[in-house]
Amino acid sequence: MATTSYRALLYLSRRHPAAPSSLFLRRFHVGRGFSSSCAPDEFGSIGFIGLGNMGSRMANNLVNAGYRVAVHDINHDAMKIFADKGVPTKDTPLDVAEASDVVISMLPSSSHVSEVYTGSKGVLHGGKSLRPWLLIDCSTIDPQTSRRVSALVSNCTLKENKDTTKAPMMLDAPVSGGVPAAEAGTLTFMVGGEEEAYLAAKPLLLSMGKSAVYCGSAGNGSAAKICNNLALAVSMLGVSEALALGQSLGIKASVLTRIFNSSSARCWSSDAYNPVPGVMDGVPSSRNYEGGFASKLMVKDLGLAAASAKEVGARHPLATQVTEMYSKICEEGHEMKDFSCVFRYLYSGVDEHDDQRS
């Protein structure tokens, strides 16, 4: 195992001579595989594109970890927050690419990813010669877009090595854990792309999260994420429906939650992201469903799951039904509320401290 990893390491170092060899060699320990720690300066300059609820926190964790970070977002107020902390800002994605050794993006949709990478001021608009040797897109998008952009990147060469025919590498690495995990640096990354690129990028990913799972070739990280979010949407509806029913039957949500979490109904929606206001601190339900994963984004992700299922001929009755339920919430004006708001706005559940029925 160690020999195989070491050979992969040497292959990656030869393939990308522009990147310092120490960046790869220092992560390997004979008999132990790759180390998850790496000095931040060994990655060079990091460009981060997309400073929304998730991206701003991820970028901030990189800054706090000592990485040299430059940022870009179309929202100038979001960039000003970083500028006020002394973090360089860039006007366009292309400017980010020309100043960075690694580029990370965290964007709302497939169309945004296409624009950031292939638009008139996009990362790839500077021609087929790129400075960054590694590009990581953490957005939740369809696998087809991830694979298309990855293929475009693979057709480029490294600017620092004009004689080489080898290409820079791209990973699709969407995340799970939501805003609280982005804030705490405990995200889980689902990574698609070349395994060598994943191994090289892992220390960087673990500066923003607690774990990274290699899913296979390009687009597989995106595929894993939409499957994860489909399961999450279904479980949140199930937990919310059961807790609201329990309230109607005279059982406090806090009591039923303790039962769930010590028995067979336990899941992330019950024990880490409870939808009932007053049951759990530090989650969106405790702050009027603000600052979490917007319901409109869940609808978007469910749409990706349904479209992907149709493309491969897979049955998807739950994806269809759950999309309709979340779409109803959005149509009623709650599209910016965290997706756990279905407890209140779909099932008419009440806050724990307002529940007089038990």
Side-chain angles (χ1 to χ4, degrees):
M1 182 69 177
T3 300
T4 301
S5 298
Y6 185 66
R7 286 174 179 169
L9 191 65
L10 291 176
Y11 164 78
L12 186 56
S13 180
R14 288 195 299 269
R15 178 174 179 175
H16 297 278
S21 60
S22 61
L23 172 62
F24 306 98
L25 296 175
R26 290 183 194 176
R27 293 193 203 134
F28 185 80
H29 300 277
V30 175
R32 295 177 61 187
F34 286 90
S35 168
S36 62
S37 62
C38 184
D41 60 353
E42 292 184 336
F43 276 99
S45 299
I46 310 294
F48 202 104
I49 303 172
L51 302 173
N53 283 339
M54 296 292 291
S56 61
R57 290 161 171 83
M58 294 165 66
N60 194 57
N61 284 333
L62 291 176
V63 172
N64 291 338
Y67 290 92
R68 290 187 285 125
V69 180
V71 299
H72 168 74
D73 195 283
I74 58 173
N75 184 338
H76 292 286
D77 290 338
M79 284 205 292
K80 186 177 185 303
I81 293 173
F82 282 84
D84 289 345
K85 294 188 291 187
V87 177
T89 61
K90 300 296 179 181
D91 291 334
T92 69
L94 178 58
D95 292 337
V96 172
E98 291 180 338
S100 304
D101 300 298
V102 177
V103 171
I104 302 172
S105 54
M106 184 56 153
L107 303 161
S109 69
S110 300
S111 62
H112 290 95
V113 170
S114 294
E115 179 65 22
V116 160
Y117 283 91
T118 66
S120 60
K121 297 180 181 179
V123 170
L124 303 181
H125 192 67
K128 294 222 170 188
S129 182
L130 298 179
R131 173 178 170 177
W133 61 273
L134 177 64
L135 303 99
I136 306 172
D137 180 43
C138 298
S139 315
T140 298
I141 61 174
D142 64 276
Q144 294 76 20
T145 297
S146 292
R147 289 166 182 151
R148 179 176 63 83
V149 176
S150 179
L152 292 173
V153 170
S154 69
N155 287 328
C156 296
T157 58
L158 289 169
K159 185 172 290 187
E160 286 81 358
N161 285 273
K162 299 181 186 291
D163 296 333
T164 182
T165 59
K166 298 301 183 181
M169 298 180 292
M170 184 164 190
L171 298 171
D172 48 285
V175 302
S176 179
V179 173
E183 180 86 37
T186 57
L187 293 166
T188 293
F189 289 85
M190 293 155 266
V191 187
E194 294 188 29
E195 187 172 11
E196 294 86 356
Y198 160 73
L199 293 172
K202 192 172 182 180
L204 181 60
L205 298 177
L206 294 182
S207 295
M208 300 177 285
K210 66 177 180 180
S211 62
V213 180
Y214 181 62
C215 302
S217 60
N220 281 16
S222 295
K225 178 59 192 294
I226 61 175
C227 292
N228 179 83
N229 276 20
L230 170 59
L232 173 61
V234 172
S235 72
M236 181 57 76
L237 286 168
V239 167
S240 296
E241 185 170 317
L243 289 172
L245 174 60
Q247 287 182 335
S248 297
L249 295 174
I251 308 173
K252 278 193 171 293
S254 56
V255 174
L256 200 51
T257 293
R258 289 201 300 273
I259 293 170
F260 286 0
N261 293 343
S262 60
S263 60
S264 56
R266 181 183 181 185
C267 64
W268 190 80
S269 295
S270 67
D271 74 355
Y273 212 79
N274 197 279
V276 183
V279 169
M280 184 177 293
D281 293 330
V283 295
S285 62
S286 70
R287 50 180 184 268
N288 196 30
Y289 302 104
E290 301 292 344
F293 183 60
S295 294
K296 71 173 186 177
L297 294 180
M298 180 58 85
V299 171
K300 182 264 293 184
D301 290 356
L302 291 169
L304 294 176
S308 295
K310 289 179 182 178
E311 184 171 331
V312 297
R315 296 182 63 189
H316 55 284
L318 283 178
T320 299
Q321 185 172 357
V322 172
T323 302
E324 292 173 355
M325 297 170 79
Y326 275 102
S327 295
K328 182 175 184 294
I329 293 297
C330 293
E331 291 165 2
E332 292 175 351
H334 309 300
E335 67 274 7
M336 296 306 297
K337 296 285 189 180
D338 181 77
F339 77 105
S340 62
C341 76
V342 289
F343 171 79
R344 175 180 290 170
Y345 300 116
L346 189 64
Y347 294 109
S348 301
V350 300
D351 296 11
E352 176 76 357
H353 58 76
D354 292 336
D355 186 7
Q356 305 298 320
R357 295 175 291 189
S358 56

